[in-house]
Amino acid sequence: MRFMGWDLEAVLSSADPGLFGQLLAAAEKNRLAFRGDEVYVRGLIEYSNQCRRDCLYCGLRVSNRSLERYHLQAEEIIELGLAIYRAGITSIALQAGENSSDREVERIAGVVSELREKSMQERPPGLGVTLSLGEMTYRQYKRLYDAGAHRYLLRIESSDVQVFKRIHPPRQVYERRLECLHYLKDIGYQVGTGVMIGLPGQSYASLAADLNFFVEQDIDMLGMGPYIPHHDTPLAKARDYIIQDAFGTSIKMMALARLMMPDINMVVSTALQNINPEGLRLGVKAGGNVVMPVFTPQEHQAEYALYPNKETKSLESIRLEVESAGYRLCLSKWGDSPHYFNRQLAAGKKEGLA
Ligand code: 5AD
């Protein structure tokens, strides 16, 4: 698979530092030309680590009994969200383990609409709200959209069906995940997806196919990061790794994604920042233009353990790192994905022709 002279698989598997430098420089040039130097901020609230799923890689999996579970009250989430807004950050992301009961969805819809209303009263345009709550029914996604959420992140984890099967229990199926992504787009969300990089059994060809998957799915937002084994999960025992350098490969994936999809938003994942002190700097240089500082209450941060030793950085240290890379942190704008608007425009034109 090729893109503008780059052989995706060859670039991803190459250990040549010269090629790495060339790719990074091309991505940075493209990003500065099309998107400028702004890096948008989403204040992240991980409001519950209760999860019904049993993903073989994730510390929050229901079978992990050694994890203390927490679940923030609606009032607490609203207070946190408004405090983030008052600190000048205009967008938040609500993330939690999967609990898609109608009762829980209703509770969160209430949280979202109250956050939208109260923040709007304080100062327009109000809080931008991104959700990352896993798989739901069409009706549930629609309920949250109608409540005022406008972006949704749902990683495909790997678009390679064999890899997907390898890292999930049999009842969690690829087709269902894909269907959810289609629901989200149909409802009108800005849709984000992504993959983990360096999974057991995952090849460079799988990663090249992931990049094509993002293009084909016409996604608006992307979040990718290295897979970090968690000792309390079954996948930690795996030995069949093909990708040796998950960090360097993640940076290359970001750079290629930036070249292939100039108008999407791309987050510098916390996993990338956690496995390497250069993660944020290189992630931004490779084309990352969104960061998600953690605002989960201190006492619960360690319990949101997707992977071990998850560290959180203060907004100030994030700002310093972003600036040292030559970019600017932008709190005041929603920083929506231009791809979303370009996509709406294209759809409108098609309709006009029909
Ligand atoms: N290493 C890296 N990323 C992980 N995630 C879950 N577990 C891990 C891990 N062990 C990511 C998944 C999920 C997101 C919330 O966190 O991609 O979609």
Side-chain angles (χ1 to χ4, degrees):
M1 281 175 264
R2 300 185 74 85
F3 177 79
M4 280 174 57
W6 300 96
D7 178 325
L8 301 181
E9 196 180 331
V11 171
L12 288 167
S13 59
S14 162
D16 176 358
L19 187 62
F20 182 84
Q22 261 181 336
L23 175 64
L24 211 63
E28 185 161 34
K29 192 168 158 217
N30 176 301
R31 181 266 186 71
L32 287 170
F34 290 104
R35 303 301 300 281
D37 61 356
E38 289 181 344
V39 175
Y40 305 112
V41 178
R42 321 284 181 231
L44 178 63
I45 307 175
E46 299 147 325
Y47 67 78
S48 169
N49 67 354
Q50 294 174 0
C51 190
R52 297 175 164 187
R53 294 292 178 177
D54 215 12
C55 305
L56 305 188
Y57 46 85
C58 182
L60 305 193
R61 66 197 307 266
V62 65
S63 305
N64 181 10
R65 309 253 179 255
S66 55
L67 184 68
E68 193 82 39
R69 303 285 170 164
Y70 72 94
H71 193 70
L72 297 190
Q73 298 298 310
E75 298 71 41
E76 277 181 275
I77 310 172
I78 293 165
E79 267 320 301
L80 270 172
L82 290 175
I84 293 171
Y85 195 59
R86 286 172 196 142
I89 298 176
T90 321
S91 275
I92 56 164
L94 299 179
Q95 193 175 89
E98 199 171 301
N99 175 2
S100 311
S101 65
D102 278 347
R103 190 159 160 231
E104 177 66 1
V105 170
E106 209 43 48
R107 184 179 90 101
I108 298 307
V111 168
V112 171
S113 61
E114 201 163 325
L115 277 171
R116 291 282 306 126
E117 271 164 37
K118 289 200 165 148
S119 59
M120 185 67 164
Q121 276 165 14
E122 288 189 12
R123 140 174 79 91
L127 263 178
V129 180
T130 306
L131 300 177
S132 177
L133 310 176
E135 296 179 7
M136 292 184 187
T137 64
Y138 188 96
R139 197 174 38 78
Q140 291 174 326
Y141 284 141
K142 179 84 166 74
R143 175 76 187 95
L144 292 165
Y145 183 80
D146 291 340
H150 58 124
R151 313 181 185 117
Y152 203 103
L153 306 170
L154 182 68
R155 287 188 178 178
I156 193 79
E157 314 298 358
S158 171
S159 70
D160 181 326
V161 180
Q162 287 320 312
V163 177
F164 189 97
K165 276 193 182 154
R166 168 96 169 72
I167 64 171
H168 293 105
R171 55 181 286 274
Q172 291 178 230
V173 296
Y174 178 83
E175 290 71 22
R176 169 86 184 108
R177 186 58 66 103
L178 196 57
E179 188 177 46
C180 285
L181 286 171
H182 294 161
Y183 288 166
L184 291 165
K185 191 186 273 177
D186 187 59
I187 290 167
Y189 280 100
Q190 290 175 48
V191 182
T193 192
V195 294
M196 283 178 287
I197 295 161
L199 290 161
Q202 188 183 42
S203 64
Y204 294 104
S206 301
L207 291 179
D210 287 336
L211 290 168
N212 282 318
F213 171 87
F214 305 143
V215 173
E216 267 166 35
Q217 293 294 319
D218 213 7
I219 58 151
D220 307 309
M221 310 181 293
L222 183 59
M224 302 182 289
Y227 162 61
I228 305 172
H230 188 303
H231 46 87
D232 287 325
T233 66
L235 207 63
K237 295 197 184 73
R239 292 290 172 263
D240 53 329
Y241 292 99
I242 300 166
I243 292 159
Q244 294 305 324
D245 173 15
F247 177 74
T249 310
S250 297
I251 298 291
K252 286 193 274 188
M253 281 290 280
M254 290 181 71
L256 288 168
R258 181 44 79 207
L259 288 167
M260 294 169 82
M261 298 167 279
D263 64 352
I264 63 163
N265 274 354
M266 181 162 63
V267 71
V268 184
S269 70
T270 44
L272 188 76
Q273 301 179 50
N274 262 273
I275 59 160
N276 191 308
E278 287 282 275
L280 179 52
R281 203 180 65 82
L282 285 179
V284 168
K285 285 180 114 34
N289 68 333
V290 175
V291 288
M292 294 169 67
V294 176
F295 285 90
T296 306
Q298 192 79 45
E299 68 267 32
H300 295 305
Q301 285 183 5
E303 292 159 359
Y304 203 82
L306 305 168
Y307 48 84
N309 307 320
K310 203 169 141 249
E311 267 183 47
T312 57
K313 290 181 192 163
S314 71
L315 185 63
E316 263 333 287
S317 67
I318 290 176
R319 185 196 300 279
L320 287 177
E321 284 184 56
V322 166
E323 286 174 359
S324 83
Y327 290 78
R328 273 188 307 143
L329 213 55
C330 178
L331 273 58
S332 59
K333 290 188 196 168
W334 271 15
D336 283 319
S337 164
H339 185 80
Y340 175 78
F341 301 102
N342 293 338
R343 174 157 84 69
Q344 307 294 88
L345 222 62
K349 275 197 194 127
K350 242 187 236 162
E351 244 166 56
L353 288 175

